[in-house]
Amino acid sequence: FKKHQYVFKNADGIIGITESILNWGLHYANRKATENDTVFHLSYNKSDLACTKVQLESLEKKGLTFDKSKLYACLIGTISVYKFDFKPIIEAANLLLNTNQDIQFVICGDGEGLEKFKETCKGLNNIVFTGWIDQHEINCILTNSDIGIAPYHNTFTYLTSIPSKISEYFAYGMPVVSGLGGILANYLKMNDAGYFYQSGQELAEQLIALKNNPDHLFRIRANALRIFAKEFDSGIVYENFKQNQEVDIMKYQIERIKTLR
């Protein structure tokens, strides 16, 4: 606590990835926000790689093929029980399988929770596990998927943030369905860019609604692309950050000159 106080009280400015995180720092600094304190979201640099036949064939060997009649909901990341809550996904997959919905879950990545997750999903042919994939394959999957899943645990760290995975989904025009409340749930609702679920039942219903309403899916995909370009594109975020820092440096130099006089 004392270290936090020392760092934030002696900082000339505080940058947060959300307003809540910024306010957390200001609390330790024991002051109100100034023009030196600002928010920059965790950004993403979208790949310009093409999705070629080579990648599609590689993914097919891993059990994944794309069918235009299906809705694809993907999770790409470290498959960790400490990071993600997989229970709602399993519940939703069971419900969707029993109602013959053409909705496919795509789980990509490796981690300490992968084997247990796969074991729990035995018999669910609407969940595909690709294992570890490279950047070319990631680009291919995101290009061909419809929805990004963000099943984060509702801990303080995540509740007060917009995780980096979200900007990756937005970059490909993928709306987000998330089990994470707090900042992300509010952000998705405010920007009409996805949904917050509290159970496997809700997750299944949300995916069915998106599958059966392509016009609505198209609209929220467009919203995802719009907010990515405005707030999450690394090129834009970095330029805004750089301009912000340049202004702060100029102000600092002016104040220093006044002090020297």
Side-chain angles (χ1 to χ4, degrees), residues 186-194 220 223-224 226-227 231:
N186 291 332
Y187 189 88
L188 294 175
K189 183 178 181 179
M190 182 176 64
N191 290 279
D192 192 19
I220 61 176
N223 289 342
R226 174 181 54 80
I227 58 180
E231 299 183 42

Side-chain angles (χ1 to χ4, degrees), residues 5-259:
Q5 282 189 321
Y6 178 83
V7 169
F8 288 112
K9 281 184 177 180
N10 286 280
D12 294 304
I14 301 173
I15 296 170
I17 60 172
T18 64
E19 287 287 345
S20 292
I21 294 294
L22 174 59
N23 290 334
W24 176 79
L26 291 169
H27 167 73
Y28 280 103
N30 194 28
R31 63 174 175 79
K32 293 181 179 180
T34 71
E35 57 188 2
N36 292 336
D37 307 309
T38 189
V39 172
F40 290 103
H41 295 308
L42 294 174
S43 61
Y44 182 75
N45 181 24
K46 185 179 179 182
S47 169
D48 58 0
L49 299 171
C51 180
T52 68
K53 185 179 178 181
V54 174
Q55 281 82 52
L56 290 172
E57 289 176 348
S58 174
L59 291 172
E60 187 174 357
K61 291 176 182 177
K62 296 177 180 181
L64 176 61
T65 56
F66 291 102
D67 181 342
K68 290 184 178 180
S69 67
K70 292 184 178 182
L71 182 93
Y72 290 87
C74 77
L75 167 63
I76 297 179
T78 302
I79 310 304
S80 171
V81 296
Y82 304 105
K83 187 176 184 179
F84 296 131
D85 180 7
F86 301 116
K87 185 178 178 182
I89 296 176
I90 299 166
E91 291 176 353
N94 272 292
L95 291 167
L96 293 169
L97 193 63
N98 292 333
T99 53
N100 296 315
Q101 297 289 333
D102 279 338
I103 297 173
Q104 187 81 49
F105 290 95
V106 182
I107 311 298
C108 309
D110 202 351
E112 103 288 326
L114 179 60
E115 291 308 314
K116 184 178 180 180
F117 191 8
K118 289 171 71 174
E119 182 69 24
T120 312
C121 295
K122 277 189 175 179
L124 295 174
N125 58 17
N126 56 352
I127 298 184
V128 174
F129 292 90
T130 66
W132 184 89
I133 52 176
D134 62 26
Q135 187 60 49
H136 288 81
E137 292 168 323
I138 290 173
N139 175 66
C140 208
I141 289 171
L142 293 174
T143 299
N144 287 280
S145 294
D146 304 287
I147 306 293
I149 309 174
Y152 292 92
H153 285 296
N154 282 269
T155 60
F156 172 80
T157 300
Y158 291 129
L159 285 169
T160 54
S161 71
I162 299 178
S164 58
K165 184 59 55 185
I166 308 307
S167 59
E168 183 178 13
Y169 291 150
F170 284 163
Y172 287 82
M174 295 171 62
V176 175
V177 290
S178 173
L180 178 61
I183 298 298
L184 178 58
N186 291 332
Y187 189 88
L188 294 175
K189 183 178 181 179
M190 182 176 64
N191 290 279
D192 192 19
Y195 295 102
F196 165 61
Y197 62 80
Q198 292 181 285
S199 66
Q201 176 76 37
E202 277 191 318
L203 173 57
E205 290 172 355
Q206 290 164 1
L207 294 176
I208 291 171
L210 290 169
K211 175 72 169 60
N212 294 335
N213 193 340
D215 289 340
H216 178 58
L217 177 58
F218 179 82
R219 186 176 77 250
I220 61 176
R221 285 179 68 96
N223 289 342
L225 285 172
R226 174 181 54 80
I227 58 180
F228 171 75
K230 184 180 179 182
E231 299 183 42
F232 294 93
D233 185 317
S234 61
I236 299 297
V237 171
Y238 178 68
E239 281 304 315
N240 291 338
F241 172 78
K242 189 171 68 171
Q243 290 173 18
N244 179 273
Q245 297 306 299
E246 287 171 350
V247 169
D248 287 347
I249 290 168
M250 287 178 63
K251 289 178 180 177
Y252 175 76
Q253 290 173 335
I254 291 170
E255 290 302 317
R256 285 285 294 165
I257 291 170
K258 287 180 181 178
T259 303

